C-alpha cells in the first residue's frame, strides 16, 4: 500500500504494514522539490535486499519521468525526487 503524507506537510513518517499487505511505502515532502520515501515490509515475505532494490528502482523511475503525472492528490514530475 502507499501512504501519501505530502498533503499534510509531513516530511517523514514511519509506515506500518497492516494485513493482508506485505509492504507500505510512505511518501513525505521535504520541500517544494524533494520528496522522502520510506518503506516498511514484512521480513517473512520480502528480504532487505529486495526491498532496497525496489526503492532504488522506484526512485530511478520517478527521476526519469518526462512529464508530470497525477496519482490521487500527489503529482510527480522529473524534478520531484532529488
Amino acid at each position: 500500500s502507499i501512504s501519501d503524507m505530502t498533503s499534510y506537510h509531513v516530511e517523514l513518517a514511519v509506515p506500518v504494514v497492516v494485513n493482508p499487505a506485505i509492504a507500505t511505502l510512505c511518501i513525505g515532502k521535504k520541500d517544494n522539490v524533494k520528496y522522502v520515501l520510506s518503506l516498511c515490509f514484512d521480513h517473512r515475505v520480502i528480504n532487505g535486499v529486495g526491498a532496497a532494490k525496489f526503492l532504488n528502482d522506484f526512485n530511478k523511475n520517478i527521476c526519469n519521468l518526462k512529464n508530470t503525472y497525477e496519482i490521487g492528490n500527489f503529482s510527480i514530475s522529473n524534478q520531484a525526487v532529488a
Side-chain angles (χ1 to χ4, degrees):
S1 60
I2 298 175
S3 295
D4 178 8
M5 304 303 286
T6 59
S7 59
Y8 301 106
H9 307 289
V10 173
E11 183 176 320
L12 179 64
V14 178
V16 176
V17 178
V18 179
N19 278 336
I22 59 170
T24 302
L25 176 66
C26 186
I27 304 169
K29 189 170 186 176
K30 186 167 180 124
D31 55 35
N32 289 336
V33 179
K34 296 179 183 175
Y35 289 86
V36 178
L37 303 175
S38 54
L39 179 67
C40 182
F41 56 95
D42 186 339
H43 284 271
R44 296 173 295 179
V45 181
I46 303 170
N47 66 29
V49 172
K53 286 181 180 179
F54 167 80
L55 275 179
N56 194 22
D57 290 345
F58 185 88
N59 190 39
K60 282 183 195 175
N61 289 325
I62 294 297
C63 288
N64 289 330
L65 289 176
K66 301 282 187 227
N67 301 311
T68 299
Y69 298 93
E70 293 284 335
I71 302 173
N73 292 330
F74 181 69
S75 65
I76 301 171
S77 73
N78 61 344
Q79 300 167 346
V81 179

